[in-house]
Amino acid sequence: MDPDPDSDSDSDPSQEPGQSPIHLLPMDAIHHVFSNLPLRHIIICRSVCKLFKTALSSPPFLETLPPFNLLALRRPISTLHVFDPTLNQWFRFPLDFLPFPSAAPVASSLGLLYLWSHSNSKSSLVLCNPLTRQFRVLPQLGSAWSRHGTVLVSAAGHVLLLSELAALYFSADAGCWRNFSSNLPAKPRSPVVVAGSVFALCDVGSPWRSQWTLFSCRFSEFSRWDRLERHEWGDIFDILKRPRLVSGAGNKVFMVGGLKSSFALNSPCSTILILRLDLDSLEWDEAGRMPTEMFGLFQESTKFKVFGGGGRVWFSGKRVVGRFAMWDYSEAVGRNGIWRWVEGVPGNGDGGLCRGFVFDARLTAVP
């Protein structure tokens, strides 16, 4: 007997109450669709329905997603403020899952955020993933380390705290902090991690005249520093006033500072210059110069901060209220990069100095 054409047995499942046609798609097709969206949108879609949450929580799928490249602000708050350079937008990650009244974010590596938390006279470094709201607390330290130490993290997740005279090293294998002498001739300035090595500037000059020198060591051998210098470099360290280091993309290190108009002791600066060191060839070249109209605001400022990583560098000035200057370098934007303003910096309306660091957010990062 032929089935009744009006029978419910032949009804389209996609038309059943509460059933969407997307439930008929194979999981591979759903993954293919969402793989074309940025990570931020995928995170939002995970809360739409059970199907999306299941599909977008699959480890094989998550491992194929590129990281969410952000600028995170360093400030002791209960909410992490981040900036997406691609969307040119600020947004927030709540940190209310941490059992601390306040925490100060200071660094990141491979999708994990590193924060200082304080209790009485003790401090602890906390590792967390604000996307998955997971965290882990490292063994406590004296509060002086959170005030004066610089936090550096390797790609393997090892942590180095570097101060003027000493260094602390932590690895998951040892499970405790180990204390070493820093073995540097002077206080390290703006140390950065690039290609498995630590690079830092040291002023080895006199109280009357600075003489900046570049030092480096392997992250796993931080007690053995080498002085990097080449005859071909000439006076490369003498042309910049108050230089800072910023990690670059690949095997590149940026050195940023005011370009002196002469070699006189108190020579004024004509602009902010970005130099790039290729670690493979050990050759310097000029990467960018801040435009005159932009530099005018920083020239009037009594103080400014430089931070960033990869192919971007940000500048925060004491009198540059509510915004950052940003230099964006990549093959797509040209040889000398692009300069632009980043507006609406949270909490910068009073003209206070802000600092930040690159946070490559990932859903797969586990503390």
Side-chain angles (χ1 to χ4, degrees):
M1 180 183 296
D2 293 333
D4 183 353
D6 295 328
S7 171
D8 291 339
S9 62
D10 283 343
S11 62
D12 186 349
S14 66
Q15 302 303 316
E16 294 178 6
Q19 184 73 48
S20 169
I22 199 169
H23 286 77
L24 302 179
L25 291 176
M27 196 61 70
D28 288 348
I30 295 177
H31 287 165
H32 178 73
V33 171
F34 281 99
S35 65
N36 294 289
L37 295 179
L39 182 58
R40 183 187 179 193
H41 293 165
I42 291 175
I43 295 172
I44 296 173
C45 289
R46 276 159 50 105
S47 61
V48 170
C49 63
K50 291 183 178 179
L51 173 65
F52 285 6
K53 182 175 179 59
T54 300
L56 304 182
S57 299
S58 168
F61 169 70
L62 295 178
E63 291 172 359
T64 65
L65 300 176
F68 194 9
N69 299 313
L70 305 167
L71 169 71
L73 294 187
R74 293 184 57 174
R75 57 177 50 167
I77 49 176
S78 58
T79 300
L80 180 70
H81 293 274
V82 295
F83 176 73
D84 183 347
T86 304
L87 299 177
N88 194 33
Q89 184 177 356
W90 289 95
F91 57 98
R92 300 176 296 172
F93 285 125
L95 300 177
D96 54 1
F97 61 93
L98 297 175
F100 314 106
S102 180
V106 290
S108 72
S109 178
L110 297 178
L112 291 179
L113 192 66
Y114 290 73
L115 312 94
W116 280 116
S117 67
H118 307 282
S119 176
N120 298 324
S121 60
K122 297 291 185 178
S123 298
S124 297
L125 264 181
V126 181
L127 290 66
C128 79
N129 186 339
L131 277 64
T132 61
R133 300 172 68 84
Q134 297 174 308
F135 72 94
R136 176 164 63 97
V137 182
L138 299 187
Q140 281 190 328
L141 295 168
S143 59
W145 282 102
S146 64
R147 295 194 302 267
H148 306 296
T150 300
V151 179
L152 302 172
V153 187
S154 73
H158 300 162
V159 183
L160 177 64
L161 293 182
L162 191 61
S163 69
E164 183 173 358
L165 299 175
L168 290 180
Y169 181 79
F170 179 88
S171 66
D173 296 334
C176 62
W177 293 100
R178 292 185 291 165
N179 198 328
F180 298 86
S181 170
S182 67
N183 289 324
L184 283 169
K187 181 180 179 179
R189 182 179 181 85
S190 60
V192 296
V193 180
V194 179
S197 293
V198 181
F199 296 85
L201 291 168
C202 287
D203 185 358
V204 296
S206 67
W208 302 275
R209 191 178 188 95
S210 296
Q211 182 182 343
W212 294 101
T213 305
L214 183 63
F215 288 83
S216 75
C217 71
R218 296 294 299 172
F219 198 99
S220 57
E221 302 174 354
F222 50 86
S223 60
R224 299 175 53 188
W225 291 87
D226 295 318
R227 182 167 177 164
L228 291 184
E229 50 187 352
R230 296 290 185 275
H231 175 73
E232 297 81 9
W233 290 359
D235 54 6
I236 193 76
F237 294 101
D238 295 328
I239 64 175
L240 294 182
K241 187 174 183 179
R242 295 180 60 82
R244 291 93 157 167
L245 297 181
V246 177
S247 59
N251 288 348
K252 304 290 191 301
V253 176
F254 295 122
M255 186 166 66
V256 186
L259 176 61
K260 299 178 183 178
S261 55
S262 72
F263 288 108
L265 184 59
N266 295 314
S267 172
C269 298
S270 57
T271 187
I272 293 176
L273 182 67
I274 302 177
L275 300 176
R276 176 178 47 210
L277 175 63
D278 187 319
L279 298 178
D280 294 325
S281 63
L282 289 180
E283 294 180 351
W284 291 94
D285 69 328
E286 180 179 326
R289 295 190 182 206
M290 182 176 285
T292 303
E293 62 276 9
M294 185 178 282
F295 174 69
L297 295 177
F298 288 92
Q299 189 176 27
E300 298 172 358
S301 180
T302 57
K303 212 173 190 181
F304 65 89
K305 296 291 184 181
V306 178
F307 45 89
R312 297 185 177 99
V313 181
W314 284 270
F315 303 82
S316 168
K318 187 68 174 177
R319 298 180 182 175
V320 185
V321 179
R323 56 181 176 172
F324 291 155
M326 186 183 83
W327 176 74
D328 188 0
Y329 177 85
S330 69
E331 296 298 330
V333 299
R335 180 176 177 272
N336 296 316
I338 288 178
W339 293 87
R340 66 183 177 92
W341 290 107
V342 174
E343 305 286 352
V345 178
N348 187 233
D350 57 357
L353 278 170
C354 289
R355 291 182 295 168
F357 55 90
V358 172
F359 175 42
D360 293 332
R362 305 167 189 249
L363 279 168
T364 54
V366 179

